[in-house]
Amino acid sequence: MWQLYQFPLCPFSRKVRLLLGEKGVGYDLVRESPWAMRDEFLDLNPAGTTPVMVDADKGVTLIDSQAICEYFEETIDRFPLISGTAAGRAEVRRLVAWFDQNFYGDVVAPLLHERMKKRIVHRLSPDGGVLREAMKRANTHMDYMDYLLDHRSWLGGGTMSLADIAAAAHLSVADYLGGIDWTGHDPVKRWYAGFKSRPSFRPLLSERMEIVAPPAHYDKPDF
Amino acid sequence: MWQLYQFPLCPFSRKVRLLLGEKGVGYDLVRESPWAMRDEFLDLNPAGTTPVMVDADKGVTLIDSQAICEYFEETIDRFPLISGTAAGRAEVRRLVAWFDQNFYGDVVAPLLHERMKKRIVHRLSPDGGVLREAMKRANTHMDYMDYLLDHRSWLGGGTMSLADIAAAAHLSVADYLGGIDWTGHDPVKRWYAGFKSRPSFRPLLSERMEIVAPPAHYDKPDF
Ligand SMILES: N[C@@H](CCC(=O)N[C@@H](CS)C(=O)NCC(=O)O)C(=O)O
Ligand SMILES: N[C@@H](CCC(=O)N[C@@H](CS)C(=O)NCC(=O)O)C(=O)O
């Protein structure tokens, strides 16, 4: 059985969990706080990041959310998530990198730092200026997502792909942390409402991080 | 014919160029300075980053170095660079992400900022403290590379892979910028000396960025 090292608000672990859910791969959750830099965890992954997946029976350790997703895409035929032509697959990977790097760096990382890590590690309250800047950037990202969804059925093209999963993973963490204003983003809102009712998404939406509570609309399919 | 938008010290463009060289794919270079944020370039790539590859005849635009590498890995059979078992391929991708994110963030990005961008954009001289910290981190990364090369023929396993290419790309930019002290890193030094004499690497080593000159040993196969 696979074990997935993660914590409830890690967007990269959510991306992996959504993919595993769609592909029907079973796994056990292992709670890991990467900021604690536990020795045993650093032995497992010298980068010290979640997610990490381990299958002790197979003797396999997988590190880095994209390497993990590509692994299951290659080994599990069910529900291909990087499919189509080579150029179409490149477009999916471009968008995954966009959400994992730009959306994460502009929006999710500052929100996680201000509203979660600062509280846990330093017992400090968040910096309002940083929060406002992250929300402004979230808005710009959602304008781009609106634009994509005005031209395509899904973010990466005609079918649901890993681009949608990566986007939903990051957006859901930003929404939990109060960083998303849905006003004026009907295309993204419709797309995300559909995502929220997928069986792969429901378990994630019901989990809580002890130190910070989500806004009331967070787990409602109708918001 | 493919066009590659890049500048001489972009490590992600070097990674793509090394892969294209090994696979024998031809391309024209287009000089692009992402920090100039040229409108036409932002229209091509909203993320504003190099590398970007365009084949006007095919009507294909490729963005993000990893999406580009996966595209050519899928479409060109010659010299597979993400090969072996699914677990072996995951290990290659883990290391590529390690170099593209950790080595780049810890070492290459601060060096590029201090020794190139600050000079070009702000006409300021580098901050010695930041340079020293980047060099210290480079040293820690090279300890890890020594460790890998003590246990394997190549960084990612038994054969040369995209992990070696990503590592050589980032290391070469750090070396150009004076950030690498080779003393005490014999395994990495031997591995890199071999890399430097590959035909795919020679053209990169002969290019210069107007504003900053490399140390004397930079393009010597024997250093
Ligand atoms: N490229 C990695 C990035 C993973 C990552 O940055 N994870 C965060 C948690 S969301 C982490 O572990 N950061 C280290 C820390 O917080 O100390 C991946 O895709 O798995
Ligand atoms: N994930 C991208 C990262 C590319 C990247 O960060 N490129 C740098 C140049 S080395 C860049 O364009 N930065 C934007 C800037 O300097 O304004 C890739 O792998 O292609």
Side-chain angles (χ1 to χ4, degrees), chain A residues 131 141 152 187:
Chain A
L131 292 181
H141 276 284
R152 306 167 166 181

Side-chain angles (χ1 to χ4, degrees), chain A residues 183-205:
Chain A
T183 325
H185 295 290
D186 287 343
V188 187
K189 207 175 159 178
R190 255 195 315 274
W191 163 88
Y192 189 61
F195 237 92
K196 271 181 148 175
S197 23
R198 297 185 81 84
S200 65
F201 212 164
R202 301 299 312 153
L204 276 68
L205 290 173

Side-chain angles (χ1 to χ4, degrees), chain B residues 19-33:
Chain B
L19 173 132
L20 296 175
E22 297 295 341
K23 289 190 173 283
V25 178
Y27 57 92
D28 287 327
L29 290 176
V30 181
R31 178 70 177 261
E32 185 69 45
S33 305

Side-chain angles (χ1 to χ4, degrees), chain B residues 86-205:
Chain B
R89 293 160 65 91
E91 175 65 359
V92 168
R93 291 193 178 101
R94 169 183 83 87
L95 287 166
V96 171
W98 172 283
F99 289 107
D100 283 354
Q101 291 163 33
N102 299 29
F103 192 95
Y104 175 72
D106 291 342
V107 180
V108 183
L111 289 172
L112 275 173
H113 183 77
E114 294 299 327
R115 309 218 345 120
M116 188 194 75
K117 267 191 253 173
K118 259 168 93 170
R119 208 168 295 190
I120 298 179
V121 183
H122 312 286
R123 296 178 190 274
L124 285 171
S125 33
D127 177 327
V130 175
L131 292 181
R132 274 189 300 278
E133 178 62 25
M135 290 186 73
K136 226 174 74 186
R137 292 184 176 191
N139 200 52
T140 308
H141 276 284
M142 287 164 81
D143 285 341
Y144 183 54
M145 294 171 72
D146 283 337
Y147 162 83
L148 289 175
L149 292 168
D150 277 339
H151 294 80
R152 304 167 167 182
S153 316
W154 296 88
L155 288 170
T159 55
M160 184 179 135
S161 75
L162 192 59
D164 300 285
I165 283 185
H170 288 282
L171 200 62
S172 69
V173 174
D175 194 34
Y176 185 113
L177 295 170
I180 302 296
D181 180 354
W182 294 95
T183 325
H185 295 290
D186 287 343
V188 187
K189 207 176 158 177
R190 255 195 315 274
W191 163 88
Y192 189 60
F195 236 91
K196 271 182 148 174
S197 23
R198 296 185 80 85
S200 65
F201 211 163
R202 302 297 313 156
L204 277 68
L205 290 174

Side-chain angles (χ1 to χ4, degrees), chain A residues 3-201:
Chain A
Q3 292 193 304
L4 172 61
Y5 290 75
Q6 55 85 51
F7 62 95
L9 291 183
C10 172
F12 302 99
S13 304
R14 287 187 170 213
K15 172 184 158 197
V16 167
R17 292 178 69 184
L18 290 170
L19 172 133
L20 296 176
E22 297 296 341
K23 287 188 174 283
V25 177
Y27 56 92
D28 287 327
L29 290 176
V30 182
R31 178 69 177 263
E32 185 69 46
S33 305
W35 54 89
M37 300 202 270
R38 211 165 50 86
D39 283 341
E40 291 79 5
F41 186 60
L42 291 173
D43 287 344
L44 200 58
N45 176 11
T49 52
T50 51
V52 171
M53 285 193 76
V54 177
D55 186 328
D57 305 329
K58 287 198 182 72
V60 173
T61 301
L62 304 176
I63 289 164
D64 181 75
S65 68
Q66 193 54 20
I68 297 173
C69 289
E70 298 274 358
Y71 176 93
F72 287 103
E73 183 69 8
E74 289 175 359
T75 53
I76 310 284
D77 290 335
R78 184 171 150 184
F79 208 140
L81 286 160
I82 312 176
S83 65
T85 63
R89 294 161 63 93
E91 175 65 358
V92 168
R93 291 194 179 100
R94 169 183 85 86
L95 288 166
V96 171
W98 172 283
F99 290 106
D100 282 354
Q101 291 164 33
N102 299 29
F103 192 95
Y104 176 72
D106 292 342
V107 180
V108 183
L111 290 172
L112 275 174
H113 183 77
E114 294 301 326
R115 309 218 346 120
M116 187 194 77
K117 267 191 254 172
K118 259 169 93 170
R119 207 168 295 190
I120 298 179
V121 183
H122 312 286
R123 296 176 189 277
L124 285 170
S125 33
D127 176 327
V130 175
L131 292 181
R132 274 189 300 278
E133 178 63 25
M135 289 186 73
K136 226 174 73 188
R137 293 185 176 190
N139 201 50
T140 308
H141 276 284
M142 287 164 81
D143 284 342
Y144 183 54
M145 294 171 72
D146 283 338
Y147 162 83
L148 290 174
L149 291 168
D150 276 339
H151 293 81
R152 306 167 166 181
S153 316
W154 296 88
L155 289 170
T159 53
M160 184 180 135
S161 74
L162 193 58
D164 300 285
I165 282 185
H170 288 281
L171 199 63
S172 69
V173 174
D175 194 33
Y176 185 112
L177 295 170
I180 302 297
D181 180 354
W182 295 95
T183 325
H185 295 290
D186 287 343
V188 187
K189 207 175 159 178
R190 255 195 315 274
W191 163 88
Y192 189 61
F195 237 92
K196 271 181 148 175
S197 23
R198 297 185 81 84
S200 65
F201 212 164

Side-chain angles (χ1 to χ4, degrees), chain B residues 39-52:
Chain B
D39 283 341
E40 291 80 4
F41 186 61
L42 290 172
D43 286 345
L44 200 57
N45 176 11
T49 52
T50 51
V52 171

